[in-house]
Amino acid sequence: MIKLSTLVVAISLALSSQANATTITASDKAIKLAKDTILIDTHIDVPYRLHDKWADVTKATDDGDFDYPRAIQGGLNAPFMSIYIPAHLEFEGKGKSYQLANLLIDSMEAIAQRAPDKFAIASSTADIEEQFKQGKLSIAMGMENGSPIEGDMKNLQHFFDRGVRYITLAHSQSNHISDSSYDIRRKWKGLSPFGKKLVTEMNNIGMLIDVSHISDDAFYQVIELSKTPVIASHSSLRKYTPGFERNMNDDMLLALKKNGGVIQINFGSSFVTAKAGSWGKQLKSTKESAKKEGTKLSNDFDAAYRAKNPYPFASLEQVLDHIDHVVALIGIDYVGIGSDYDGVGDSLPIGLKDVSSYPNLVQGLMDRGYSDTDIKKILSGNTLRVWKQAEAYAKKH
């Protein structure tokens, strides 16, 4: 007799195998273009992945979405590693978020020190460009959730000095800086008084402001206050996910263009299609109903549910639709890549399952008529532009 857990694993593996199939196969030209170009992905969650379970990503790993061999295969040479701080009340304002942020930064420095022939910490656009020439994979860092600032501008300078170059102001709950798009309690009705001061100080030191995760009101307040272009480091479009405030709508895109910023498209299926988002809500509802009925949930509950209700993975083509819409609405100069690899679990689209997959994206762009010049803007040119503008502003202030 086959155990339920064994059967579920077998079904899950079969589904995973199906999901890894792709209708787009990268040509030699697409692979070469990816590898010959600085390729910046503004959001990869390696630090917290390694915090949960250590793995030597300087070598091939058995799990996760990132390691050095796969990055090289995909042409990824300049990821922003996310210094992710969970949005727990036990972290906010109690020193724990500050401590965790420093610990995660330590882990990235350890990777660079472990394999200095492969990795190097990058804290400027000049670092990115020089390390690319040297054939090294740059580790840039962005902080996801501004909780570690803890209301003290000295901490902002501290993390800048440690190499953090953007801050996502809030995460899944409102904090002392900003309201969150996920949090129905709109404590600040946008930014807090401290948050408004923080935006100015981030401008002054050259720290990019990341508007992913924050509420719509907070977004427009940032746009009004910021003297430099902002980024949405890992967001997609509300056009394809109606009602999902975590993504950006067309009015926000138009405001982003006026600001000169960039939206980096998130690959997670629930960010790409409404169908995937609805699946997640249905799973949550089913679990809550079972708990109310007194049913004890097994460790295999999620896998068993997925076996009966296969997850509706987004496709690479649908990710490309998001890029197309940004380009059609506001132009080629305002879109980039923010995959959320190692941050969205096993919800990644067919054809974009890990960091080896960027050539598939490049091929898809080529197939849709994008020129090499335009593709290079998406891969890094647009992000480098806003980063350089932030650096230039800071030199004057």
Side-chain angles (χ1 to χ4, degrees), residues 253-280:
L253 291 177
L254 292 169
L256 186 75
K257 177 179 182 177
K258 188 174 180 180
N259 164 266
V262 176
I263 176 174
Q264 286 92 355
I265 299 300
N266 190 315
F267 293 173
S269 289
S270 63
F271 291 82
V272 177
T273 69
K275 191 174 182 180
S278 296
W279 185 96

Side-chain angles (χ1 to χ4, degrees), residues 169 176-178 191-200 202 225:
L169 300 183
H176 71 285
I177 298 169
S178 175
L191 298 175
S192 72
F194 176 79
K196 292 175 181 177
K197 294 177 182 178
L198 184 67
V199 167
T200 297
M202 288 174 70
L225 290 168

Side-chain angles (χ1 to χ4, degrees), residues 311-330:
Y311 184 77
F313 290 100
S315 67
L316 170 52
E317 294 286 359
Q318 289 169 314
V319 174
L320 292 168
D321 289 343
H322 284 251
I323 295 175
D324 279 353
H325 183 70
V326 176
V327 173
L329 183 68
I330 62 174

Side-chain angles (χ1 to χ4, degrees), residues 291-309:
K291 288 179 181 178
K292 287 180 180 179
E293 294 171 1
T295 304
K296 185 177 180 180
L297 303 184
S298 70
N299 293 333
D300 291 331
F301 184 91
D302 286 10
Y305 180 88
R306 182 175 289 224
K308 293 181 179 179
N309 306 276

Side-chain angles (χ1 to χ4, degrees), residues 2-178:
I2 299 177
K3 293 182 179 180
L4 175 60
S5 59
T6 303
L7 178 61
V8 167
V9 168
I11 294 173
S12 296
L13 287 173
L15 290 170
S16 176
S17 176
Q18 178 184 354
N20 276 296
T22 174
T23 57
I24 295 178
T25 302
S27 64
D28 290 343
K29 180 182 178 182
I31 294 170
K32 187 175 188 302
L33 183 56
K35 292 185 176 183
D36 289 351
T37 304
I38 294 176
L39 200 164
I40 297 177
D41 187 321
T42 50
H43 199 88
I44 296 183
D45 278 291
V46 168
Y48 202 80
R49 166 192 161 195
L50 301 188
H51 177 69
D52 275 348
K53 180 183 178 183
W54 173 254
D56 185 359
V57 295
T58 68
K59 303 174 182 177
T61 59
D62 294 330
D63 57 5
D65 306 326
F66 173 95
D67 57 38
Y68 182 78
R70 283 182 286 173
I72 296 304
Q73 181 181 349
L76 177 65
N77 44 56
F80 270 83
M81 297 301 189
S82 174
I83 307 303
Y84 162 65
I85 309 300
H88 298 324
L89 291 177
E90 63 188 67
F91 282 97
E92 176 75 2
K94 298 180 180 179
K96 292 184 178 180
S97 60
Y98 178 87
Q99 181 181 5
L100 177 57
N102 281 290
L103 185 64
L104 297 181
I105 294 170
D106 289 345
S107 72
M108 293 300 96
E109 292 177 344
I111 289 172
Q113 292 165 4
R114 179 183 289 263
D117 57 323
K118 299 177 180 177
F119 293 91
I121 299 294
S123 57
S124 67
T125 55
D127 286 346
I128 296 287
E129 290 165 347
E130 179 58 31
Q131 290 159 10
F132 177 72
K133 292 177 184 177
Q134 295 173 358
K136 294 183 179 181
L137 192 153
S138 295
I139 295 177
M141 288 180 283
M143 180 183 289
E144 186 178 20
N145 188 358
S147 179
I149 303 303
E150 297 190 340
D152 190 339
M153 293 299 180
K154 291 181 180 178
N155 290 339
L156 173 64
Q157 186 65 53
H158 167 79
F159 287 115
F160 185 87
D161 292 342
R162 293 217 62 190
V164 173
R165 286 300 176 268
Y166 77 69
I167 296 177
T168 316
L169 300 183
H171 191 249
S172 57
Q173 293 182 22
S174 301
N175 60 14
H176 71 285
I177 298 169
S178 175

